[in-house]
Amino acid sequence: MSALDPDVILLTGDFTAFPGTETDAWELLRRLSKIAPAYAVRGNTDFSRSIPDLSGSDPVWLLNRTQELEVRGTPMSLTGVDAGSTWRVWELTKSLDRTRLSVCQYN
């Protein structure tokens, strides 16, 4: 992944479906977050699990919220919708600034 030199990494859930332990999955997220700014939402397999405290280089968790950021000079709105909260898509995206690039993350 680091060879791709990404500007941002979007993680769309189902981390605990990853082969290995839950601890392995959280370690993968930590490692990806060291490559580039990372933003994550939970998938349906993660929904019943708590998100550990991954202080420091962890991904930014977008659990039913929007994060404003800039990527290569382009203003961007990144909205994350938590698994099981499909109805929140409309609520979260209706107030977005339509002059900005907008991305919605959902699993």
Side-chain angles (χ1 to χ4, degrees), residues 15-76:
F15 311 114
T16 55
F18 175 86
T21 68
E22 217 173 300
T23 303
D24 294 335
W26 303 136
E27 179 57 28
L28 174 63
L29 295 180
R30 273 193 284 267
R31 292 177 63 200
L32 289 171
S33 297
K34 290 179 181 178
I35 295 170
Y39 299 86
V41 295
R42 294 187 294 182
N44 59 309
T45 64
D46 311 311
F47 190 61
S48 62
R49 314 216 178 178
S50 63
I51 296 171
D53 178 15
L54 301 173
S55 301
S57 62
D58 57 307
V60 174
W61 290 93
L62 297 177
L63 305 180
N64 299 320
R65 70 183 189 89
T66 299
Q67 175 79 37
E68 304 294 332
L69 60 146
E70 191 172 293
V71 176
R72 292 190 184 193
T74 301
M76 181 176 172

